[in-house]
Amino acid sequence: MNISIKTNDNKFSDKYICMALVQSGIISKEHALEIFEKKEKVRESIEKQKDQRSRKVTTGVRIINPTTIVDIIVSFKFNRADRPDLELDEDIIFKVLSKTWDKPYLKIDPLKLDLNLVTTTIPRSFAMKHLVLPIDVENGCLVAATSNPFNTEVFEDIGRVSLMPVKIVVTSKSDIIRLIDEFFGFKRSIAEAESQFDSSSVVDLGNLEQYVRLKSSDELPANDHHIVNAVNHLFNYAFDQRASDIHIEPKRDISLIRMRIDGVLHTVYRLPKKVHTPMVSRIKNMSRLDMAEKRRPQDGRIKIAKGDVEVEIRVSTVPVAFGEKVVMRIMDPDILFQGLDQLGFTSHDLKRYNDMVNRPNGLVLVCGPTGSGKSTTLYSTLRRLSTPEINTTTIEDPIEMVHEEFNQIAVQPAVDITFATIMRNILRQDPDIIMVGELRDLETAQNAVQAALTGHLVLSTLHTNDAPSSIVRLLDIGIPYFLVQATLTGIISQRLVRQICPRCVESFMIEASQLRNSGLEIKKEGQVKLYRGKGCTKCRGTGYFGRTAIYEALPYSKALRFLTTQNTDLASLREAAIKENLVTLRENAIKKLLEGITTYEEVMRVTWEND
């Protein structure tokens, strides 16, 4: 095969694309030969799969998606020739081709797109036929994304319709198809729902600024198919973006959709206020909440299929100034149930924690603020400890994730099922391990201590800043010091830090003295090698991808027992804990900093309160 590229070659031909990838070092010549030898057979296989999928789609207009040489190359799942640790994917192929074509490449961040611009500039049928998507207006030019920048007639048509010159950027075909489906599908559902929702007859009882008009309400029913589609799009979008929470917030004139990704909230959509109430009603219907109750907070849950796994979504509604706000926490079993060695423990702290939870009785506390990963640690621990020979019972408010290996009890104050009342009765259920969601008050704490005294392993949480503070907190709640001495086995405290994106990680040097001046006690002298993310398509330019936990594990030793009295001094407890090799949250965060797992900024942000 002639591996040279000629200037008059068709730049979207199979030969041109393969040779461009070979010359850029992304694939080898051997791989290129294999692709050419097998491409027709692979093309037939891909088309057959597409045909099978399309037969399942009985409604709607299908996107025209011809099989290209890029689809064929991706299906081989080769490792990159220049980076054998990475698989050759569609994004890197189009990024390389864009350089060869002398066109700018853009990995589209859906969070930054304007829904109206994307869906109103060109018709949906046109976008689906030509696989092109308007994404921005820049200096008077319409920026259009495409995987084939050589359809000049298409871009001329878009320019005539938009009355703007068109700037072309290259992006992957799968991103174009997904965004056309998501944005046009979501927009269509919202628009149809809005048109059916006559705002002149709405009585917005939730908006504190609205006058109540004495007319009947014509709210959309929760089973309206346009609202159903819109909510389904919302969930699929959240799964695709790895969101942990979805916020639906009513404002004066709009409804705001925000998602928390890697611990940071991003604004995703600004929807017409007309569709807010129907969307909330649909979510209430799915989570079996009272749709008529709009003045009181409610809690519910939804179970949704995400690929091959079932995801639980915890739903909370609360009335705010302009209506009902909904927050949905996505409880992904792949995140909640992990091996303890995957959570972020150092070997030193993992050994200490295992020693605590492997005892047949005692009280083990997991401490940290809301959103610090306590539930993940507890669920992962229970899953490891649970066997057919052990009876594990949990008391939760609410149940984070339903798991058949545990006997899970939900707190329901309305029928007098509280932490305290359940703890009084749970000992008659012959438990071996008891997990109490939180030690909120004296009665709950007393029953937990009683369970630990009578030969049970009790796991629970406290909201404290560090491990030694939890001993003082137990005493403040009202537990006598001698019962703390008799039952407490150990405490771990934790936080979550964002991890550096592995795709764009880079190293840099910084003076150790500069770090020490900022409060990071680095034992090295001179220059220190640290890491950060440059920002890439995978992490949306943030430099971070995913999160990991930092811990401090504190066994309740004889020295700490001796210091636990009616007038316990926190400073003395901390001093004794450090003498017994307590590695603090800040010290463990610094270890992850030096190992290239997280950044200096994350260490300062997450552990500032421990200065």
Side-chain angles (χ1 to χ4, degrees):
M1 182 193 301
N2 182 4
I3 63 169
S4 63
I5 299 177
K6 299 177 182 178
T7 55
N8 60 350
D9 283 345
N10 178 357
K11 293 186 178 182
F12 210 74
S13 68
D14 295 359
K15 174 187 171 184
Y16 186 98
I17 288 174
C18 281
M19 293 306 98
L21 297 179
V22 170
Q23 291 187 1
S24 65
I26 298 297
I27 64 174
S28 63
K29 293 179 182 178
E30 291 75 19
H31 282 160
L33 289 171
E34 184 179 352
I35 290 166
F36 261 80
E37 289 172 3
K38 300 179 180 179
K39 67 175 183 174
E40 293 308 323
K41 188 174 180 180
V42 173
R43 191 190 303 273
E44 289 177 9
S45 175
I46 294 174
E47 291 290 351
K48 187 176 180 181
Q49 292 174 9
K50 286 181 182 178
D51 185 56
Q52 289 174 347
R53 286 195 296 268
S54 65
R55 287 177 184 176
K56 297 178 182 179
V57 181
T58 56
T59 60
V61 183
R62 296 171 186 168
I63 293 176
I64 298 174
N65 177 17
T67 300
T68 67
I69 189 64
V70 175
D71 300 320
I72 293 169
I73 295 171
V74 170
S75 70
F76 278 90
K77 296 184 178 180
F78 292 134
N79 287 341
R80 288 172 52 176
D82 61 335
R83 290 280 303 275
D85 56 316
L86 298 177
E87 188 176 293
L88 182 64
D89 60 23
E90 192 180 3
D91 283 324
I92 189 61
I93 291 174
F94 277 102
K95 190 173 184 180
V96 169
L97 290 176
S98 67
K99 291 181 180 177
T100 307
W101 294 334
D102 195 26
K103 303 285 184 183
Y105 173 81
L106 179 66
K107 175 66 174 178
I108 300 175
D109 183 355
L111 300 177
K112 296 179 180 177
L113 293 184
D114 183 334
L115 180 67
N116 287 326
L117 174 69
V118 172
T119 56
T120 59
T121 305
I122 59 174
R124 176 170 177 258
S125 57
F126 186 90
M128 294 170 71
K129 181 179 179 180
H130 299 290
L131 295 183
V132 61
L133 198 69
I135 58 172
D136 198 7
V137 175
E138 200 175 86
N139 298 324
C141 293
L142 179 68
V143 181
T146 181
S147 58
N148 183 358
F150 305 108
N151 288 334
T152 53
E153 291 183 6
V154 170
F155 304 117
E156 289 172 0
D157 290 342
I158 294 174
R160 283 192 291 270
V161 169
S162 64
L163 303 178
M164 286 184 284
V166 177
K167 176 184 175 183
I168 303 168
V169 295
V170 176
T171 193
S172 66
K173 184 174 72 169
S174 62
D175 278 358
I176 294 287
I177 292 172
R178 177 172 52 82
L179 290 170
I180 288 174
D181 182 54
E182 287 180 355
F183 275 74
F184 280 96
F186 186 74
K187 176 69 175 181
R188 188 174 67 255
S189 298
I190 292 297
E192 292 289 342
E194 185 182 10
S195 67
Q196 292 184 25
F197 197 64
D198 182 6
S199 61
S200 64
S201 61
V202 175
V203 183
D204 193 353
L205 297 176
N207 189 338
L208 300 184
E209 293 190 343
Q210 293 262 5
Y211 289 109
V212 177
R213 301 182 65 183
L214 299 179
K215 293 184 179 180
S216 61
S217 175
D218 293 327
E219 293 183 1
L220 275 175
N223 61 355
D224 180 86
H225 70 279
H226 300 303
I227 288 296
V228 170
N229 290 338
V231 172
N232 288 345
H233 275 292
L234 206 58
F235 285 133
N236 288 327
Y237 190 77
F239 296 155
D240 185 56
Q241 298 299 316
R242 302 179 298 107
S244 61
D245 300 84
I246 305 171
H247 293 234
I248 303 178
E249 304 175 358
K251 304 301 180 184
R252 181 177 288 108
D253 301 314
I254 61 168
S255 180
L256 201 63
I257 309 291
R258 299 200 291 170
M259 294 184 185
R260 189 177 297 278
I261 303 169
D262 291 337
V264 178
L265 275 173
H266 299 266
T267 299
V268 178
Y269 297 124
R270 297 175 183 270
L271 303 182
K273 185 66 181 292
K274 298 176 186 178
V275 301
H276 177 81
T277 301
M279 286 188 71
V280 172
S281 295
R282 169 60 183 165
I283 292 166
K284 282 184 171 183
N285 184 45
M286 294 174 71
S287 53
R288 299 181 181 179
L289 298 181
D290 185 353
M291 294 168 59
E293 179 57 74
K294 302 179 185 297
R295 298 297 184 90
R296 294 179 181 177
Q298 296 187 71
D299 293 305
R301 62 191 320 109
I302 307 169
K303 180 172 281 191
I304 294 180
K306 175 191 169 188
D308 298 329
V309 299
E310 290 183 341
V311 174
E312 297 246 2
I313 298 177
R314 202 174 75 194
V315 180
S316 172
T317 69
V318 65
V320 294
F322 300 108
E324 280 188 286
K325 178 184 175 183
V326 179
V327 174
M328 294 176 283
R329 172 155 289 187
I330 300 170
M331 316 303 295
D332 191 334
D334 292 336
I335 295 174
L336 271 181
F337 297 109
Q338 301 182 51
L340 293 181
D341 56 345
Q342 298 175 316
L343 296 179
F345 281 104
T346 63
S347 56
H348 171 266
D349 287 340
L350 182 58
K351 181 180 183 305
R352 284 187 158 195
Y353 184 57
N354 279 327
D355 290 343
M356 297 176 199
V357 298
N358 285 332
R359 298 188 182 188
N361 55 65
L363 176 63
V364 178
L365 297 176
V366 179
C367 305
T370 301
S372 60
K374 299 188 297 297
S375 295
T376 298
T377 299
L378 283 173
Y379 271 101
S380 299
T381 302
L382 290 177
R383 190 175 189 183
R384 204 212 68 176
L385 295 176
S386 291
T387 65
E389 296 80 25
I390 289 192
N391 177 15
T392 302
T393 303
T394 73
I395 312 169
E396 305 172 62
D397 182 21
I399 295 173
E400 300 271 6
M401 170 70 70
V402 176
H403 190 63
E404 62 182 14
E405 292 181 19
F406 315 146
N407 299 297
Q408 295 169 284
I409 303 169
V411 169
Q412 301 178 66
V415 290
D416 198 31
I417 300 177
T418 65
F419 282 114
T421 57
I422 286 296
M423 282 298 297
R424 284 200 301 268
N425 294 281
I426 204 172
L427 297 184
R428 302 191 189 104
Q429 292 288 313
D430 187 31
D432 296 296
I433 300 174
I434 302 170
M435 193 270 275
V436 185
E438 184 183 347
L439 299 185
R440 296 181 178 177
D441 51 46
L442 175 59
E443 190 177 4
T444 304
Q446 285 175 330
N447 284 291
V449 166
Q450 185 63 36
L453 275 173
T454 53
H456 304 87
L457 177 63
V458 180
L459 307 176
S460 190
T461 69
L462 274 179
H463 288 160
T464 58
N465 285 335
D466 57 15
S469 300
S470 299
I471 299 172
V472 177
R473 175 65 178 147
L474 284 176
L475 298 171
D476 289 342
I477 289 175
I479 301 298
Y481 72 90
F482 53 86
L483 288 181
V484 176
Q485 292 174 338
T487 58
L488 189 59
T489 299
I491 309 160
I492 65 166
S493 182
Q494 66 179 93
R495 299 289 189 280
L496 291 176
V497 295
R498 289 184 291 175
Q499 298 182 101
I500 299 172
C501 175
R503 281 278 183 91
C504 61
V505 60
E506 66 174 2
S507 62
F508 66 99
M509 305 303 293
I510 189 171
E511 291 293 335
S513 58
Q514 184 178 342
L515 294 174
R516 281 194 288 272
N517 291 338
S518 301
L520 299 183
E521 290 300 323
I522 303 293
K523 296 179 181 178
K524 298 180 180 181
E525 295 296 333
Q527 289 197 323
V528 178
K529 188 177 184 180
L530 298 183
Y531 300 84
R532 63 192 171 201
K534 291 186 292 185
C536 66
T537 56
K538 184 176 182 180
C539 63
R540 297 189 195 86
T542 64
Y544 298 102
F545 190 87
R547 291 188 290 176
T548 187
I550 54 172
Y551 293 91
E552 61 181 29
L554 178 62
Y556 192 52
S557 63
K558 290 182 180 179
L560 293 174
R561 282 190 175 89
F562 179 77
L563 291 171
T564 305
T565 64
Q566 196 167 359
N567 300 309
T568 294
D569 177 51
L570 179 57
S572 299
L573 288 173
R574 283 182 177 148
E575 185 179 345
I578 290 170
K579 285 181 180 178
E580 297 196 349
N581 297 320
L582 172 71
V583 183
T584 65
L585 287 168
R586 170 62 64 87
E587 290 168 342
N588 274 325
I590 290 173
K591 285 183 180 180
K592 282 185 164 50
L593 170 67
L594 298 176
E595 291 169 0
I597 296 173
T598 191
T599 63
Y600 156 81
E601 290 82 5
E602 274 294 282
V603 172
M604 296 300 296
R605 181 182 70 85
V606 172
T607 64
W608 66 270
E609 68 269 20
N610 297 293
D611 288 341

